[in-house]
Amino acid sequence: MKATVFGEVLFDIFPDQHAVPGGAPFNVAWHLNAFDIDVDFVSRIGQDEQGKKLQALMQDNHFPMEHLQVDASRPTGYVNVTLDDGEPSYSIAEQVAYDAISAPKDPCESDLLYHGTLALRCPESAKALEALRDNAKLVFMDVNLRDPYWEKETTLALAKKADWLKINADEFRILAGRDYCAEAANELLNTLELEGVLVTLGSEGACVYTQEQSQCASVIPKPQDDICDTVGAGDAFSAVFIFGLLQHWPMQAVVARAQSFASQVITIPGAISSDPDFYDPFKQAWQTESISNVID
């Protein structure tokens, strides 16, 4: 299976000034690559120390770099992260490298294209995404509304070009114009002519709606007391959800496994791990456990 992932890679800078790689598309691509999906990551970094650190990290972890672009004038993206009881808020740098992603000259055919919305705040990157969409069988859009870098009508127009939409409850209220509920989710699904909508609900889990079934799957996470921070939890969920779509798992198994992985990611600092042992138990379990056991 081939997945193209488009968008930002950056450094999340925490209050104590330690910096970790981030950006929703990068996090999703990292997890998919760790789970042995063939990933084409399309992004842009600066020709600076931060960019060199990202390149070294990618090389050391056999992460795909064929379409990682280097900008000679713009810096690598970065975000200042503030934590309040483990919940992150973000201050996002402007005029950075991922604002100027160009379309690859040789875009790959892919089974799925993942993209968010932040990297589309500038026209050049938005134009590059258009060139990639035609080469994908399925488009998965992850809504990331970061003020002031979005407009409602533009976001809805992008969503209408997607097949799957991932959205949280706050974003749902903004784009749908009403609070999240099953009726509203199905209305959004039909209005945007989507195959499916994934609504993430934080500590209340997630629900999935498809054209075939009004609500086809849901999951509620178990309480846990080993949380480090929740940075990247949604990206972890997205990655396994996409993995499940590509592997044609039953939808209830998809959300159960996605939640299980996301619950593990929040026990580590930041959004990703460079330790293969972090991913191996999930890979082994998915190869051996019965789908029916997961669903039950």
Side-chain angles (χ1 to χ4, degrees), residues 35-50:
F35 288 133
D36 301 322
I37 292 293
D38 185 7
V39 176
D40 181 32
F41 182 57
V42 182
S43 189
R44 195 174 184 94
I45 59 175
Q47 196 173 33
D48 51 20
E49 286 303 313
Q50 290 76 17

Side-chain angles (χ1 to χ4, degrees), residues 24 36 79 106-107 111 143 147 154 195-196 220-221 228 270 275:
D36 301 322
V79 174
D106 53 343
D111 296 286
V143 178
D147 291 333
T154 301
E195 288 187 21
I220 299 176
C228 179
D275 183 0

Side-chain angles (χ1 to χ4, degrees), residues 9-260:
V9 57
L10 47 81
F11 274 103
D12 287 321
I13 304 175
F14 287 82
D16 64 0
Q17 295 304 302
H18 84 276
V20 297
F26 173 70
N27 296 338
V28 169
W30 184 276
H31 295 316
L32 288 174
N33 184 64
F35 288 133
D36 301 322
I37 292 293
D38 185 7
V39 176
D40 181 32
F41 182 57
V42 182
S43 189
R44 195 174 184 94
I45 59 175
Q47 196 173 33
D48 51 20
E49 286 303 313
Q50 290 76 17
K52 292 176 182 177
K53 289 179 181 179
L54 286 171
Q55 287 178 307
L57 176 69
M58 293 175 185
Q59 290 172 343
D60 290 345
N61 289 272
H62 308 289
F63 184 85
M65 300 172 61
E66 181 181 359
H67 289 138
L68 178 68
Q69 303 160 21
V70 179
D71 196 303
S73 58
R74 296 172 183 248
T76 299
Y78 63 93
V79 174
N80 291 313
V81 182
T82 303
L83 298 174
D84 184 8
D85 292 330
E87 291 295 326
S89 59
Y90 309 95
S91 176
I92 304 169
E94 299 181 355
Q95 297 298 316
V96 294
Y98 66 74
D99 288 321
I101 302 171
S102 58
K105 295 180 181 179
D106 53 343
C108 298
E109 297 286 336
S110 63
D111 296 286
L112 183 143
L113 167 65
Y114 167 98
H115 72 86
T117 51
L118 176 59
L120 306 179
R121 63 185 180 177
C122 292
E124 188 169 352
S125 291
K127 183 178 179 181
L129 175 66
E130 291 296 326
L132 294 172
R133 188 178 281 112
D134 293 338
N135 291 287
K137 297 177 183 177
L138 200 67
V139 177
F140 184 101
M141 176 176 162
D142 187 355
V143 178
N144 303 112
L145 302 184
R146 300 285 186 254
D147 291 333
Y149 308 115
W150 65 277
E151 295 177 351
K152 181 175 179 179
E153 293 307 316
T154 301
T155 304
L156 289 171
L158 282 167
K160 201 158 189 177
K161 296 179 181 180
D163 301 292
W164 276 88
L165 187 72
K166 173 178 170 280
I167 188 169
N168 67 31
D170 291 335
E171 295 161 345
F172 187 98
R173 186 181 305 109
I174 293 169
L175 294 186
R178 57 188 291 197
D179 287 340
Y180 161 72
C181 64
E183 179 186 9
N186 281 294
E187 181 179 313
L188 187 68
L189 175 79
N190 292 320
T191 299
L192 296 177
E193 301 176 335
L194 299 161
E195 288 187 21
V197 174
L198 166 62
V199 185
T200 57
L201 303 167
S203 62
E204 297 180 16
C207 291
V208 180
Y209 301 84
T210 66
Q211 291 290 352
E212 290 74 23
Q213 295 175 275
S214 59
Q215 180 176 327
C216 65
S218 63
V219 64
I220 299 176
K222 297 177 182 178
Q224 58 187 111
D225 56 11
D226 55 350
I227 298 174
C228 179
D229 64 60
T230 60
V231 175
D235 306 332
F237 197 107
S238 293
V240 177
F241 192 92
I242 289 168
F243 188 98
L245 286 180
L246 293 174
Q247 299 295 328
H248 304 290
W249 293 342
M251 191 53 64
Q252 188 58 46
V254 173
V255 295
R257 288 172 169 175
Q259 183 60 60
S260 177

